[in-house]
Amino acid sequence: MITLLDILQDAEKEQTQELRLVSGQKPTMRTRKGWHPLMQEPLAPAFVREQILSLLDEEERIELLERGMVSGFLQLKEKRFNYVFSRSTSGFNAYFQWKSQAIELADFSLPPAVVEIFRKATGVNVITGPKQSGRSTLAQILSQEVSDGGLRSVAVFTVQAEEYSVGANEGFWQVFPVESLALSPQQMVSGFDFLVIDSHRPQAWKQAISLGEMGHRVLLLLPYTNTKNATERLSEKID
């Protein structure tokens, strides 16, 4: 069965960088010759609704259903798909735009001091964002920046090891299952200059805070839409 991600990949093969999905109509893509259909069959409204909602977390779904629109981006391998999802009387609609080049640190619009803070300061730094928003990509880029060409070592604790496998193969970091922190935290982090903890489990968050208090450099990834929600949930879970 075709999915929304399949449609995005098909559009990319056609060398377009914009895609529009409207409930009940054929997907259309934009090329140098203008907008034209990508498929022969119209998309059923139920299909568009199901596919869009599957890409959003709970907070984003609420925003889309209550306000009628939500925007953001999806990070898939080296591609970033900027999107706008909207709701109208005819159903749900989607607009995608993307670039094919690899994502770099400059694409995240971070202040230059961020890298230096992470490199020098001990404690816990937090990256937050919904699923497929680029959290793990930013963590990898920061890990590469602070590793000083491999002179410093980075340990990644995650349930999504495949997202970090490329950097691990190049020697930037080593990847471990997040469950290993619960067994012997001090032993697992011994010898590493930086720690990345990517988990939705509150127990892992508590361990991140504890390791930060012990003087380790920790980068904690949280699955929330914005910083306010992340800090509130973090406070609730670690009390």
Side-chain angles (χ1 to χ4, degrees):
M1 179 179 178
I2 191 172
T3 67
L4 181 52
L5 298 182
D6 293 329
I7 296 175
L8 284 171
Q9 292 174 351
D10 289 343
E12 186 181 356
K13 292 177 182 177
E14 297 293 331
Q15 298 183 341
T16 179
Q17 294 186 349
E18 290 182 79
L19 177 68
R20 182 182 296 154
L21 306 180
V22 177
S23 291
Q25 299 182 20
K26 300 176 182 179
T28 56
M29 61 182 183
R30 185 176 184 179
T31 65
R32 293 179 180 179
K33 296 182 180 180
W35 290 91
H36 61 88
L38 175 64
M39 299 169 56
Q40 297 301 316
E41 298 296 330
L43 297 176
F47 168 83
V48 179
R49 173 191 171 94
E50 177 186 356
Q51 292 295 307
I52 287 177
L53 294 180
S54 70
L55 295 177
L56 302 176
D57 62 21
E58 183 178 356
E59 294 175 3
E60 292 173 312
R61 292 190 196 105
I62 293 174
E63 182 176 354
L64 175 59
L65 294 173
E66 292 185 351
R67 299 182 182 180
M69 181 176 294
V70 65
S71 62
F73 70 90
L74 304 174
Q75 186 67 46
L76 302 174
K77 297 182 179 180
E78 293 186 350
K79 304 293 190 301
R80 185 170 79 166
F81 296 81
N82 297 292
Y83 66 77
V84 177
F85 297 151
S86 61
R87 181 170 56 86
S88 64
T89 54
S90 61
F92 288 78
N93 311 305
Y95 168 79
F96 294 92
Q97 184 181 47
W98 64 92
K99 297 180 179 180
S100 59
Q101 68 266 26
I103 301 300
E104 299 178 351
L105 186 62
D107 294 317
F108 289 92
S109 301
L110 297 175
V114 168
V115 175
E116 290 305 309
I117 291 173
F118 184 45
R119 178 180 285 122
K120 296 178 180 180
T122 60
V124 179
N125 295 277
V126 175
I127 294 177
T128 186
K131 62 180 181 179
Q132 296 183 318
S133 64
R135 291 191 312 256
S136 60
T137 299
L138 178 55
Q140 292 180 67
I141 293 174
L142 285 173
S143 296
Q144 292 173 351
E145 291 288 333
V146 302
S147 66
D148 295 338
L151 299 179
R152 299 187 182 189
S153 56
V154 181
V156 179
F157 298 91
T158 179
V159 295
Q160 304 175 21
E162 68 280 358
E163 294 190 7
Y164 297 89
S165 59
V166 175
N169 292 337
E170 295 176 356
F172 288 117
W173 52 78
Q174 295 185 48
V175 183
F176 304 96
V178 71
E179 294 85 358
S180 60
L181 278 175
L183 301 176
S184 181
Q186 283 298 334
Q187 181 178 352
M188 290 302 303
V189 304
S190 177
F192 290 100
D193 298 296
F194 304 97
L195 311 174
V196 177
I197 299 178
D198 183 356
S199 175
H200 62 279
R201 302 171 182 173
Q203 182 59 36
W205 306 349
K206 294 179 181 179
Q207 290 159 345
I209 299 299
S210 177
L211 291 168
E213 292 174 342
M214 293 177 185
H216 295 281
R217 297 179 178 89
V218 182
L219 184 62
L220 175 62
L221 278 60
L222 297 176
Y224 295 107
T225 306
N226 55 58
T227 304
K228 180 177 182 294
N229 290 339
T231 53
E232 288 177 352
R233 300 292 176 84
L234 183 60
S235 298
E236 292 173 1
K237 299 299 183 181
I238 65 176
D239 284 343

